[in-house]
Amino acid sequence: MVILSRGKCGLSSCTSRYLVAMSAADLLVIFTQAVLDRINYHYFPLNFLDITTVCRVVIVLKRASVECSVWFTVTFTFDRYVAICCDNFRTKYCTGKTAATVLATAGILLCLKDVPLYFAYEPGERYDGVEWFCITKRSYYADPLWVGFNWFDTILTPLIPFAVILLLNALTVRHILEASRVRKGLRGERSAENRSDPEMESRRRSVILLFTISGSFIILWLTYVSDFIYYNIRGTSQNDSEYIFQQVGYLLQNFSCCTNTLIYAVTQCKFREQLKTAVKYPATAMTKTMKAGILQSRCCVFLSLS
Protein backbone atom coordinates (compact mmCIF):
# COMPACT_ATOMS: atom_id res chain seq x y z
CA MET A 1 0.00 0.00 0.00
CA VAL A 2 2.80 2.42 0.86
CA ILE A 3 4.71 1.72 -2.36
CA LEU A 4 1.62 2.05 -4.55
CA SER A 5 0.36 5.20 -2.80
CA ARG A 6 3.67 6.98 -3.43
CA GLY A 7 2.86 7.01 -7.14
CA LYS A 8 6.35 6.09 -8.35
CA CYS A 9 5.45 2.80 -10.06
CA GLY A 10 4.69 4.31 -13.46
CA LEU A 11 0.94 3.68 -13.03
CA SER A 12 -1.88 6.12 -13.64
CA SER A 13 -3.66 7.65 -10.67
CA CYS A 14 -6.71 5.59 -11.58
CA THR A 15 -4.84 2.27 -11.51
CA SER A 16 -2.95 3.23 -8.36
CA ARG A 17 -6.17 3.97 -6.49
CA TYR A 18 -7.69 0.64 -7.48
CA LEU A 19 -4.59 -1.26 -6.39
CA VAL A 20 -4.32 0.62 -3.10
CA ALA A 21 -8.01 -0.07 -2.39
CA MET A 22 -7.58 -3.76 -3.27
CA SER A 23 -4.55 -4.08 -1.02
CA ALA A 24 -6.37 -2.27 1.82
CA ALA A 25 -9.30 -4.67 1.50
CA ASP A 26 -6.89 -7.63 1.46
CA LEU A 27 -5.22 -6.31 4.62
CA LEU A 28 -8.64 -5.99 6.25
CA VAL A 29 -9.38 -9.61 5.33
CA ILE A 30 -6.17 -10.74 7.03
CA PHE A 31 -6.95 -8.65 10.11
CA THR A 32 -10.56 -9.76 10.53
CA GLN A 33 -10.33 -13.38 9.39
CA ALA A 34 -6.95 -14.28 10.90
CA VAL A 35 -6.34 -11.94 13.85
CA LEU A 36 -9.84 -11.19 15.15
CA ASP A 37 -11.26 -14.64 14.36
CA ARG A 38 -8.81 -17.55 14.17
CA ILE A 39 -5.98 -16.30 16.39
CA ASN A 40 -8.43 -14.92 18.94
CA TYR A 41 -10.40 -18.19 19.02
CA HIS A 42 -7.39 -20.46 19.44
CA TYR A 43 -5.02 -18.41 21.63
CA PHE A 44 -7.07 -15.77 23.48
CA PRO A 45 -10.31 -17.36 24.62
CA LEU A 46 -12.86 -15.34 26.57
CA ASN A 47 -11.84 -11.75 26.01
CA PHE A 48 -13.75 -8.61 25.03
CA LEU A 49 -13.99 -9.81 21.42
CA ASP A 50 -16.30 -12.58 22.66
CA ILE A 51 -18.88 -10.11 23.98
CA THR A 52 -21.95 -10.60 21.82
CA THR A 53 -22.13 -7.02 20.55
CA VAL A 54 -18.45 -6.97 19.59
CA CYS A 55 -18.66 -10.48 18.13
CA ARG A 56 -21.55 -9.43 15.87
CA VAL A 57 -19.59 -6.43 14.60
CA VAL A 58 -16.59 -8.65 13.86
CA ILE A 59 -18.80 -11.04 11.86
CA VAL A 60 -20.14 -8.16 9.77
CA LEU A 61 -16.61 -6.83 9.21
CA LYS A 62 -15.38 -10.29 8.20
CA ARG A 63 -17.99 -10.65 5.50
CA ALA A 64 -17.73 -7.04 4.32
CA SER A 65 -13.94 -7.24 4.00
CA VAL A 66 -14.12 -10.37 1.84
CA GLU A 67 -16.78 -8.86 -0.40
CA CYS A 68 -14.89 -5.58 -0.75
CA SER A 69 -11.75 -7.50 -1.73
CA VAL A 70 -13.67 -9.43 -4.40
CA TRP A 71 -15.68 -6.54 -5.79
CA PHE A 72 -12.75 -4.13 -5.84
CA THR A 73 -11.08 -6.71 -8.08
CA VAL A 74 -14.20 -6.74 -10.27
CA THR A 75 -14.25 -2.94 -10.56
CA PHE A 76 -10.56 -2.91 -11.43
CA THR A 77 -11.13 -5.61 -14.06
CA PHE A 78 -13.87 -3.45 -15.59
CA ASP A 79 -11.54 -0.45 -15.54
CA ARG A 80 -8.87 -2.46 -17.41
CA TYR A 81 -11.50 -3.59 -19.92
CA VAL A 82 -12.52 0.01 -20.58
CA ALA A 83 -8.89 1.13 -20.83
CA ILE A 84 -8.03 -1.57 -23.39
CA CYS A 85 -11.24 -2.00 -25.38
CA CYS A 86 -13.25 1.24 -25.19
CA ASP A 87 -11.27 4.06 -26.78
CA ASN A 88 -14.13 6.58 -26.77
CA PHE A 89 -15.12 5.95 -23.15
CA ARG A 90 -11.59 5.60 -21.78
CA THR A 91 -10.75 9.26 -21.22
CA LYS A 92 -13.97 9.88 -19.28
CA TYR A 93 -14.01 6.74 -17.14
CA CYS A 94 -10.35 5.92 -16.45
CA THR A 95 -9.65 8.83 -14.10
CA GLY A 96 -8.65 9.05 -10.46
CA LYS A 97 -11.91 10.81 -9.56
CA THR A 98 -14.04 8.09 -11.17
CA ALA A 99 -12.00 5.38 -9.45
CA ALA A 100 -12.50 7.01 -6.04
CA THR A 101 -16.25 7.35 -6.67
CA VAL A 102 -16.64 3.74 -7.81
CA LEU A 103 -14.62 2.35 -4.90
CA ALA A 104 -16.42 4.45 -2.29
CA THR A 105 -19.86 3.55 -3.68
CA ALA A 106 -19.04 -0.16 -3.84
CA GLY A 107 -17.60 -0.19 -0.33
CA ILE A 108 -20.57 1.64 1.24
CA LEU A 109 -23.18 -0.53 -0.52
CA LEU A 110 -21.42 -3.76 0.45
CA CYS A 111 -21.14 -2.70 4.09
CA LEU A 112 -24.83 -1.74 4.17
CA LYS A 113 -25.76 -5.06 2.59
CA ASP A 114 -24.01 -6.95 5.40
CA VAL A 115 -25.69 -5.05 8.25
CA PRO A 116 -28.53 -7.67 8.52
CA LEU A 117 -25.91 -10.26 9.54
CA TYR A 118 -25.62 -8.41 12.84
CA PHE A 119 -29.14 -9.61 13.73
CA ALA A 120 -28.59 -13.23 12.62
CA TYR A 121 -26.82 -14.11 15.88
CA GLU A 122 -27.89 -14.32 19.49
CA PRO A 123 -25.95 -14.58 22.78
CA GLY A 124 -24.65 -17.99 23.73
CA GLU A 125 -24.30 -17.33 27.46
CA ARG A 126 -24.88 -14.56 30.00
CA TYR A 127 -22.61 -13.75 32.96
CA ASP A 128 -23.38 -10.95 35.43
CA GLY A 129 -25.68 -9.28 32.94
CA VAL A 130 -23.10 -9.41 30.10
CA GLU A 131 -23.95 -11.37 26.96
CA TRP A 132 -21.15 -13.54 25.57
CA PHE A 133 -20.46 -15.35 22.28
CA CYS A 134 -22.45 -15.41 19.06
CA ILE A 135 -24.77 -18.30 18.26
CA THR A 136 -26.57 -18.46 14.94
CA LYS A 137 -30.32 -18.15 15.39
CA ARG A 138 -32.38 -21.18 14.44
CA SER A 139 -34.54 -18.99 12.24
CA TYR A 140 -31.47 -18.30 10.11
CA TYR A 141 -31.77 -21.81 8.66
CA ALA A 142 -35.57 -21.98 8.44
CA ASP A 143 -36.94 -18.47 7.89
CA PRO A 144 -37.49 -17.86 4.14
CA LEU A 145 -36.16 -14.31 4.50
CA TRP A 146 -32.86 -15.49 5.98
CA VAL A 147 -32.58 -18.38 3.49
CA GLY A 148 -33.16 -15.91 0.65
CA PHE A 149 -30.61 -13.51 2.11
CA ASN A 150 -28.07 -16.32 2.34
CA TRP A 151 -28.59 -17.29 -1.29
CA PHE A 152 -28.45 -13.63 -2.37
CA ASP A 153 -25.24 -13.24 -0.37
CA THR A 154 -23.56 -16.14 -2.17
CA ILE A 155 -24.89 -15.14 -5.59
CA LEU A 156 -23.54 -11.62 -5.06
CA THR A 157 -20.19 -12.99 -3.89
CA PRO A 158 -18.71 -14.92 -5.60
CA LEU A 159 -21.09 -16.19 -8.34
CA ILE A 160 -21.69 -12.83 -10.04
CA PRO A 161 -17.96 -11.90 -9.83
CA PHE A 162 -17.23 -15.30 -11.43
CA ALA A 163 -19.40 -14.42 -14.42
CA VAL A 164 -18.36 -10.76 -14.67
CA ILE A 165 -14.61 -11.42 -14.49
CA LEU A 166 -14.83 -14.26 -17.03
CA LEU A 167 -16.93 -12.14 -19.41
CA LEU A 168 -14.76 -9.03 -19.17
CA ASN A 169 -11.53 -10.99 -19.52
CA ALA A 170 -12.91 -12.93 -22.50
CA LEU A 171 -13.89 -9.68 -24.22
CA THR A 172 -10.52 -8.13 -23.39
CA VAL A 173 -8.59 -11.13 -24.71
CA ARG A 174 -10.67 -11.16 -27.90
CA HIS A 175 -9.97 -7.45 -28.44
CA ILE A 176 -6.25 -7.97 -27.85
CA LEU A 177 -6.10 -10.89 -30.28
CA GLU A 178 -7.99 -8.96 -32.98
CA ALA A 179 -5.75 -5.93 -32.51
CA SER A 180 -2.71 -8.18 -32.68
CA ARG A 181 -3.83 -9.67 -36.01
CA VAL A 182 -4.38 -6.19 -37.43
CA ARG A 183 -0.97 -5.08 -36.19
CA LYS A 184 0.69 -8.09 -37.77
CA GLY A 185 -0.99 -7.27 -41.07
CA LEU A 186 0.13 -3.65 -40.93
CA ARG A 187 3.68 -4.69 -40.13
CA GLY A 188 3.67 -7.16 -43.01
CA GLU A 189 4.51 -10.11 -40.74
CA ARG A 190 3.80 -13.68 -41.74
CA SER A 191 3.93 -16.91 -39.81
CA ALA A 192 7.34 -17.68 -41.27
CA GLU A 193 8.76 -14.48 -39.81
CA ASN A 194 9.65 -14.14 -36.17
CA ARG A 195 10.65 -10.55 -35.61
CA SER A 196 10.49 -9.05 -32.13
CA ASP A 197 7.59 -6.69 -31.44
CA PRO A 198 7.48 -5.00 -27.99
CA GLU A 199 3.79 -4.14 -28.39
CA MET A 200 2.90 -7.75 -29.18
CA GLU A 201 4.95 -8.93 -26.21
CA SER A 202 3.13 -6.49 -23.93
CA ARG A 203 -0.24 -7.74 -25.15
CA ARG A 204 0.84 -11.34 -24.66
CA ARG A 205 1.73 -10.57 -21.05
CA SER A 206 -1.66 -8.89 -20.61
CA VAL A 207 -3.45 -12.03 -21.81
CA ILE A 208 -1.41 -14.23 -19.45
CA LEU A 209 -2.14 -11.85 -16.56
CA LEU A 210 -5.89 -11.89 -17.23
CA PHE A 211 -6.00 -15.68 -17.40
CA THR A 212 -3.94 -15.91 -14.19
CA ILE A 213 -6.33 -13.63 -12.32
CA SER A 214 -9.45 -15.40 -13.58
CA GLY A 215 -8.04 -18.88 -13.03
CA SER A 216 -6.78 -18.25 -9.49
CA PHE A 217 -10.03 -16.55 -8.47
CA ILE A 218 -12.25 -19.37 -9.75
CA ILE A 219 -10.08 -22.22 -8.46
CA LEU A 220 -9.67 -20.75 -4.98
CA TRP A 221 -13.38 -19.97 -4.60
CA LEU A 222 -14.62 -23.23 -6.13
CA THR A 223 -14.37 -25.24 -2.89
CA TYR A 224 -16.40 -22.66 -0.97
CA VAL A 225 -19.12 -22.53 -3.62
CA SER A 226 -19.26 -26.33 -3.86
CA ASP A 227 -19.60 -26.60 -0.08
CA PHE A 228 -22.36 -23.98 -0.03
CA ILE A 229 -24.40 -25.77 -2.70
CA TYR A 230 -23.85 -29.19 -1.09
CA TYR A 231 -24.67 -27.81 2.36
CA ASN A 232 -28.00 -26.37 1.20
CA ILE A 233 -28.93 -29.58 -0.62
CA ARG A 234 -27.85 -31.92 2.19
CA GLY A 235 -29.00 -29.87 5.18
CA THR A 236 -27.38 -28.55 8.36
CA SER A 237 -25.80 -31.77 9.67
CA GLN A 238 -22.09 -32.37 8.98
CA ASN A 239 -19.68 -35.22 9.51
CA ASP A 240 -15.95 -34.77 10.08
CA SER A 241 -14.95 -34.92 6.42
CA GLU A 242 -17.63 -32.40 5.43
CA TYR A 243 -16.47 -30.05 8.19
CA ILE A 244 -12.85 -30.32 7.01
CA PHE A 245 -13.98 -29.64 3.42
CA GLN A 246 -15.86 -26.54 4.64
CA GLN A 247 -12.83 -25.22 6.53
CA VAL A 248 -10.58 -25.79 3.52
CA GLY A 249 -13.08 -23.76 1.50
CA TYR A 250 -12.81 -20.89 3.98
CA LEU A 251 -9.01 -21.14 3.89
CA LEU A 252 -8.85 -20.97 0.09
CA GLN A 253 -11.44 -18.17 0.02
CA ASN A 254 -9.34 -16.04 2.34
CA PHE A 255 -6.20 -16.88 0.40
CA SER A 256 -7.89 -15.75 -2.83
CA CYS A 257 -8.56 -12.35 -1.28
CA CYS A 258 -4.81 -11.86 -0.81
CA THR A 259 -3.49 -12.90 -4.22
CA ASN A 260 -4.93 -10.56 -6.86
CA THR A 261 -3.22 -7.36 -5.69
CA LEU A 262 0.08 -9.23 -5.47
CA ILE A 263 -0.35 -10.64 -8.98
CA TYR A 264 -1.23 -7.24 -10.45
CA ALA A 265 1.55 -5.38 -8.66
CA VAL A 266 4.45 -7.81 -8.98
CA THR A 267 4.02 -7.95 -12.76
CA GLN A 268 4.96 -4.25 -12.90
CA CYS A 269 8.72 -3.72 -13.34
CA LYS A 270 8.76 -0.35 -11.60
CA PHE A 271 6.85 -1.77 -8.64
CA ARG A 272 9.50 -4.45 -8.25
CA GLU A 273 12.19 -1.77 -8.37
CA GLN A 274 10.42 0.26 -5.67
CA LEU A 275 9.98 -2.89 -3.58
CA LYS A 276 13.71 -3.65 -3.80
CA THR A 277 14.47 -0.06 -2.79
CA ALA A 278 12.14 -0.35 0.19
CA VAL A 279 13.75 -3.61 1.30
CA LYS A 280 17.25 -2.13 0.98
CA TYR A 281 16.29 1.18 2.61
CA PRO A 282 17.05 0.23 6.27
CA ALA A 283 20.55 -1.01 5.39
CA THR A 284 21.15 2.00 3.13
CA ALA A 285 19.98 4.46 5.79
CA MET A 286 22.11 2.78 8.44
CA THR A 287 25.18 2.89 6.18
CA LYS A 288 24.66 6.58 5.45
CA THR A 289 24.22 7.32 9.17
CA MET A 290 27.40 5.44 10.05
CA LYS A 291 29.36 7.24 7.32
CA ALA A 292 28.04 10.59 8.51
CA GLY A 293 28.98 9.75 12.10
CA ILE A 294 32.50 8.68 11.12
CA LEU A 295 32.95 11.81 9.03
CA GLN A 296 31.72 14.00 11.85
CA SER A 297 34.05 12.35 14.36
CA ARG A 298 37.01 12.82 12.01
CA CYS A 299 36.14 16.47 11.61
CA CYS A 300 35.97 16.89 15.38
CA VAL A 301 39.38 15.22 15.82
CA PHE A 302 40.88 17.39 13.07
CA LEU A 303 39.49 20.58 14.64
CA SER A 304 40.75 19.61 18.09
CA LEU A 305 44.23 18.91 16.73
CA SER A 306 44.32 22.16 14.80
Side-chain angles (χ1 to χ4, degrees):
M1 288 175 59
V2 173
I3 293 174
L4 291 170
S5 61
R6 293 179 65 192
K8 296 183 179 181
C9 298
L11 302 173
S12 64
S13 61
C14 174
T15 301
S16 296
R17 289 188 178 183
Y18 277 112
L19 291 177
V20 169
M22 290 165 61
S23 58
D26 293 345
L27 182 61
L28 188 59
V29 170
I30 295 173
F31 180 70
T32 57
Q33 297 283 353
V35 178
L36 297 184
D37 186 14
R38 301 294 176 172
I39 293 177
N40 172 65
Y41 175 79
H42 289 291
Y43 299 103
F44 302 98
L46 202 61
N47 58 63
F48 78 97
L49 292 175
D50 295 315
I51 298 175
T52 302
T53 302
V54 179
C55 178
R56 287 170 171 171
V57 173
V58 171
I59 291 173
V60 174
L61 287 176
K62 283 167 54 181
R63 186 60 187 172
S65 63
V66 171
E67 292 182 342
C68 285
S69 177
V70 172
W71 277 97
F72 286 173
T73 303
V74 173
T75 57
F76 180 56
T77 304
F78 180 75
D79 176 82
R80 292 299 85 203
Y81 165 76
V82 172
I84 295 174
C85 303
C86 305
D87 295 334
N88 297 329
F89 189 47
R90 179 193 310 162
T91 54
K92 295 181 179 180
Y93 184 82
C94 298
T95 62
K97 183 178 180 180
T98 301
T101 303
V102 170
L103 291 168
T105 303
I108 292 172
L109 291 178
L110 290 171
C111 290
L112 291 176
K113 193 274 299 178
D114 289 318
V115 168
L117 285 175
Y118 182 89
F119 305 98
Y121 296 86
E122 60 185 3
E125 298 180 13
R126 184 189 297 270
Y127 294 115
D128 297 330
V130 180
E131 297 176 339
W132 292 87
F133 309 115
C134 290
I135 306 299
T136 307
K137 294 180 179 179
R138 292 184 178 180
S139 59
Y140 183 79
Y141 302 103
D143 192 315
L145 290 177
W146 280 119
V147 173
F149 176 83
N150 202 12
W151 273 99
F152 171 74
D153 196 40
T154 302
I155 290 172
L156 184 67
T157 307
L159 296 183
I160 291 179
F162 270 8
V164 173
I165 289 179
L166 282 176
L167 176 62
L168 293 176
N169 285 351
L171 294 174
T172 304
V173 169
R174 186 184 68 174
H175 177 83
I176 291 175
L177 294 177
E178 290 178 353
S180 298
R181 285 195 292 267
V182 172
R183 183 175 178 83
K184 284 182 179 181
L186 293 175
R187 286 171 58 90
E189 294 185 359
R190 296 295 183 267
S191 58
E193 300 177 359
N194 190 24
R195 289 181 292 178
S196 176
D197 186 354
E199 181 66 22
M200 294 290 292
E201 185 65 22
S202 175
R203 291 176 179 175
R204 187 184 68 84
R205 288 196 298 267
S206 298
V207 173
I208 295 174
L209 177 61
L210 292 175
F211 276 117
T212 303
I213 294 294
S214 302
S216 65
F217 180 77
I218 292 174
I219 291 172
L220 294 174
W221 274 88
L222 189 59
T223 304
Y224 173 85
V225 175
S226 301
D227 174 73
F228 173 81
I229 295 174
Y230 176 79
Y231 180 79
N232 281 272
I233 294 175
R234 173 73 181 272
T236 58
S237 60
Q238 285 181 315
N239 55 37
D240 292 341
S241 60
E242 291 171 349
Y243 176 77
I244 292 174
F245 186 80
Q246 180 191 62
Q247 295 304 309
V248 170
Y250 290 143
L251 170 66
L252 296 177
Q253 165 201 304
N254 294 334
F255 183 69
S256 174
C257 294
C258 304
T259 57
N260 289 343
T261 308
L262 181 65
I263 294 173
Y264 276 120
V266 172
T267 54
Q268 307 295 325
C269 296
K270 291 187 177 181
F271 177 86
R272 294 197 298 270
E273 293 175 0
Q274 292 294 318
L275 181 60
K276 291 178 182 178
T277 303
V279 172
K280 295 178 181 177
Y281 178 78
T284 304
M286 186 179 298
T287 303
K288 289 181 178 180
T289 303
M290 291 177 63
K291 289 181 178 180
I294 293 172
L295 180 61
Q296 184 177 4
S297 63
R298 288 179 177 177
C299 290
C300 291
V301 171
F302 176 77
L303 291 175
S304 63
L305 292 176
S306 62

